Amino acid sequence: MARPLRPRAFDTTKHADHGPSPWDAKALVSNPHCRVRTWRCDSGMDHLVRNADGDELLFVHAGAGHLFCDYGHLAIEAGDYVVLPRSTMWRIEPRGRMDILMIEATNGSYMLPDKGLLGPHAIFDQAMFDSPKIDSTFKHQAQGEWRVVIKRRNQLSTVTYPFNPLDAVGWHGDLFPVRINVRDIRPLMSHRYHLPPSAHTTFVADRFVVCTFVPRPFETDPGAMKVPFYHNNDDYDEVIFYHAGNFFSRDNIHPGMVTFHPCGFTHGPHPKALTRMLEQTKPGTDEYAVMIDTRDALDVDADAEAVEWAGYVDSWKGG
């Protein structure tokens, strides 16, 4: 009998019927401090949404479009992170289909990690953050009656305005949405030592972190491991969303899949990846992935179980 403490994998590309609102997103994993969902948006939203439960982090997995919010307009595309502070009103108009990973900091907020001796500009320069602009695209939005669907305590309420409430003519302050693309993230590298995933932390919340894996050179020291070492997650549950590229430590994983390695279970590279432990066949990785490490145990939601690859737990068996 399969028990809860096991590695699990989910193929979100098999989800269908996502619905026209981010509140229709497919729930993957959650705990009292974090909620992870995926949403496919293929038409312009005819309403606004507001998350009163916490900050929302959007990661655009595929597609491109326009995000409109209280603060203005942002053009967004694949590889973008967008941090939306709690209670920001927003909607998306996609150009075609967009696939989006949504990470909620429930009753919390997103901050930047302390880079220590590396300095505040390590991994990415904060000057690379974009913010919404009140431009001509923002000013030419449709008018008339608009609904705002508000999520609080994971329940929905609707407020209807006789006008479009995204009508700002300017804003002032230091709390606002920001956007950064994975292309602007420069990973930490070591030629003699395989760095732990926490070195690639991009955002920090109250009880979890979000890390980004981007292409980097492999270690060059002859004795250095060129794959992750086998390890336990003694303090965190680990979720990885695979965005693009070839995932050098995994087998039979493709973009749009999600793996979940709970605290207390030993895991590491798959057998095929282990054969390249000391000598790789190419100079560096070419993968992009988003990792969420949570301090508190995650529950797997029914939407994830519906697209689970049940054989993942046995994928470390040789032969």
Side-chain angles (χ1 to χ4, degrees):
M1 178 180 178
R3 298 294 182 183
L5 188 65
R6 67 185 190 277
R8 304 177 72 171
F10 315 100
D11 188 352
T12 70
T13 66
K14 294 182 177 180
H15 276 142
D17 303 322
H18 283 243
S21 172
W23 304 149
D24 298 320
K26 302 297 185 182
L28 299 179
V29 293
S30 59
N31 64 31
H33 305 282
C34 179
R35 185 176 299 275
V36 181
R37 296 154 290 167
T38 56
W39 178 45
R40 182 169 301 148
C41 176
D42 54 15
S43 61
M45 292 170 58
D46 64 357
H47 62 288
L48 295 156
V49 294
R50 172 186 284 163
N51 191 344
D53 283 330
D55 285 9
E56 193 83 71
L57 177 63
L58 308 182
F59 178 76
V60 182
H61 171 52
H66 302 275
L67 183 142
F68 297 90
C69 66
D70 311 64
Y71 303 83
H73 160 248
L74 267 177
I76 56 177
E77 62 181 11
D80 277 347
Y81 282 111
V82 182
V83 181
L84 296 167
R86 186 198 304 224
S87 288
T88 299
M89 282 192 299
W90 61 277
R91 67 181 180 89
I92 285 178
E93 287 187 7
R95 300 199 304 267
R97 192 183 97 180
M98 294 182 70
D99 291 335
I100 299 174
L101 176 70
M102 303 173 62
I103 310 168
E104 176 187 290
T106 309
N107 202 33
S109 58
Y110 284 106
M111 298 163 286
L112 296 178
D114 181 358
K115 310 293 179 51
L117 293 174
L118 295 170
H121 304 294
I123 303 180
F124 62 86
D125 189 337
Q126 296 175 31
M128 297 307 299
F129 278 129
D130 287 340
S131 60
K133 303 295 188 297
I134 299 180
D135 53 18
S136 59
T137 304
F138 180 76
K139 293 176 181 178
H140 293 153
Q141 294 179 83
Q143 299 304 308
E145 185 176 275
W146 278 87
R147 293 176 295 120
V148 181
V149 183
I150 305 164
K151 185 171 81 71
R152 176 61 176 163
R153 299 184 70 185
N154 219 34
Q155 298 176 328
L156 302 181
S157 303
T158 301
V159 176
T160 303
Y161 291 86
F163 56 90
N164 187 339
L166 299 187
D167 57 359
V169 296
W171 54 270
H172 179 73
D174 56 7
L175 179 65
F176 49 87
V178 294
R179 182 198 71 88
I180 191 168
N181 194 278
V182 292
R183 294 189 303 266
D184 299 318
I185 296 176
R186 305 292 187 259
L188 294 181
M189 295 174 285
S190 170
H191 68 290
R192 301 194 67 189
Y193 175 67
H194 184 81
L195 296 171
S198 55
H200 308 292
T201 299
T202 310
F203 300 104
V204 177
D206 293 341
R207 299 283 293 176
F208 68 95
V209 299
V210 177
C211 306
T212 310
F213 302 140
V214 300
R216 61 170 180 82
F218 282 115
E219 296 77 7
T220 56
D221 188 283
M225 290 184 64
K226 279 74 173 180
V227 294
F229 34 76
Y230 285 97
H231 60 282
N232 298 328
N233 295 340
D234 292 332
D235 298 303
Y236 293 87
D237 276 10
E238 171 197 291
V239 174
I240 300 180
F241 177 85
Y242 299 89
H243 170 52
N246 296 309
F247 308 107
F248 76 106
S249 65
R250 292 283 174 268
D251 196 10
N252 297 311
I253 295 291
H254 57 254
M257 291 188 74
V258 174
T259 57
F260 170 42
H261 300 138
C263 175
F265 201 100
T266 304
H267 67 284
H270 275 121
K272 187 167 73 173
L274 195 61
T275 64
R276 300 187 296 271
M277 177 179 68
L278 295 177
E279 186 174 352
Q280 289 284 345
T281 57
K282 54 186 178 181
T285 72
D286 61 358
E287 68 178 42
Y288 290 89
V290 177
M291 184 176 77
I292 303 126
D293 273 0
T294 69
R295 187 66 184 86
D296 304 286
L298 289 163
D299 295 316
V300 176
D301 292 289
D303 289 336
E305 292 179 332
V307 293
E308 183 167 7
W309 171 25
Y312 182 67
V313 67
D314 296 317
S315 59
W316 278 269
K317 294 180 178 179

